[in-house]
Amino acid sequence: MSLHFNPRDITWLAFNERVLQEAMDEKVPLHLRIRFLGIFSNNLDEFFRVRVAGLKRAMDFKEKVIAESFYQPPSKILQRINEVVMRQQQNFDKTWKKIQTEMADHKVFIKNSKNLTAKQKEFVRQYFDEVVESNVIPILLHENTPMPYLRDKSLYLGVAMRKKRLAIFQQLCHHRNSIPVCRKVRIAAYRRSGREKCNAAGRCDHF
C-alpha cells in the first residue's frame, strides 16, 4: 500500500516548494520575492525541528510500532527528505544570487567583511563591541566533556581554533534569540566607482 501514498513529510516539502516557486517567479515584485525566500527558509527550519526530529526518534521504535505507524520506514523517508531538500536548496541558492543582483540594480548591497571600506569596518567593529558581544555566549567543546544542551530556536556558530603545533579545539558561539539583535544592520555608505554607484544624494544601502 505504501507505493500508493506519499508520506506527509514529502507532501509538506512539496507545499514549501510552492513558496519557493513564488520567489523564483520574476513577475512577482522584488520585495515579495525576498519575503517568500524568508518564509521558505523559516518553514524549513521548523520542518527539521519537528518533522525530521520526530522521524529520527521513530527510528528507535520497535519494528511492530513502526509498521503500525508508518507506510514506509522512517529511514527511507529521511533519505527521500534529504534528496528533496538538497534539490530545493540548490534552487534557493540560485534564486538568492539572482535576487542580490537585482537588489544591486536598486542600489541595495549585501556586504561581507571582504568588501567593506575602512570606515564601514570601523562601524562594524564598534557595533559588535557595543551590541552583539554581550549577547554571544562561548561554549567550549572538548572530547572529554559531554555535549552541552543546545537550545531550540537559537543560533549557533561553530568555530575551530588552533595554535601552532597544538591540537585543535572547538567552540560554539551561542546567540540568545531572546535578545533583540538584528541579523542584518544598515551601515554607512560612501560613493564608490563602478556598479556600486550611489544615488544623487550619495547614498546606497548596505547590509
Side-chain angles (χ1 to χ4, degrees):
M1 180 178 290
S2 62
L3 297 177
H4 301 287
F5 295 93
N6 277 321
R8 66 174 186 174
D9 307 288
I10 301 300
T11 57
W12 188 95
L13 287 175
F15 157 76
N16 203 36
E17 186 166 9
R18 183 69 186 89
V19 178
L20 180 59
Q21 289 172 356
E22 289 293 319
M24 297 169 62
D25 187 354
E26 297 183 9
K27 297 178 182 178
V28 176
L30 182 60
H31 70 284
L32 292 180
R33 293 169 64 195
I34 297 173
R35 179 171 294 182
F36 279 124
L37 283 183
I39 295 172
F40 170 86
S41 183
N42 287 337
N43 286 348
L44 200 57
D45 285 345
E46 183 176 358
F47 176 79
F48 272 86
R49 286 200 310 268
V50 179
R51 298 290 183 85
V52 172
L55 287 170
K56 287 187 175 182
R57 287 193 298 269
M59 292 176 63
D60 296 329
F61 294 171
K62 295 181 179 180
E63 291 186 8
K64 181 179 180 180
V65 176
I66 292 177
E68 293 174 349
S69 304
F70 298 92
Y71 287 123
Q72 297 179 13
S75 58
K76 186 174 182 179
I77 298 175
L78 286 169
Q79 181 179 356
R80 291 183 60 186
I81 287 174
N82 185 62
E83 294 170 354
V84 174
V85 169
M86 290 295 293
R87 174 177 54 79
Q88 290 181 347
Q89 195 60 47
Q90 291 176 353
N91 290 332
F92 178 96
D93 293 341
K94 292 178 182 177
T95 303
W96 177 229
K97 289 180 180 179
K98 182 173 180 58
I99 284 178
Q100 288 185 76
T101 301
E102 296 180 36
M103 290 168 60
D105 293 335
H106 293 277
K107 309 299 181 284
V108 179
F109 305 91
I110 304 295
K111 292 289 192 175
N112 59 42
S113 59
K114 295 181 180 180
N115 50 27
L116 293 176
T117 66
K119 289 185 178 181
Q120 290 170 343
K121 289 181 180 179
E122 182 181 350
F123 167 82
V124 170
R125 290 192 189 98
Q126 183 177 355
Y127 183 85
F128 178 84
D129 291 340
E130 296 179 356
V131 180
V132 178
E133 185 176 18
S134 61
N135 296 304
V136 175
I137 304 173
I139 304 172
L140 185 63
L141 301 182
H142 191 274
E143 60 181 5
N144 296 327
T145 59
M147 184 69 180
Y149 172 73
L150 302 182
R151 298 172 63 89
D152 193 15
K153 298 184 179 180
S154 294
L155 298 179
Y156 290 89
L157 174 65
V159 180
M161 307 178 69
R162 74 168 67 230
K163 225 176 181 180
K164 288 183 179 180
R165 299 180 182 178
L166 290 180
I168 297 175
F169 69 92
Q170 298 176 320
Q171 71 175 21
L172 286 177
C173 291
H174 170 218
H175 171 242
R176 295 177 293 174
N177 268 12
S178 58
I179 307 299
V181 177
C182 297
R183 296 191 186 185
K184 290 184 172 61
V185 179
R186 179 174 295 177
I187 59 177
Y190 306 92
R191 286 186 178 275
R192 299 284 295 269
S193 59
R195 181 179 183 82
E196 203 170 312
K197 185 177 180 181
C198 300
N199 58 25
R203 174 180 174 181
C204 307
D205 284 327
H206 303 262
F207 296 89

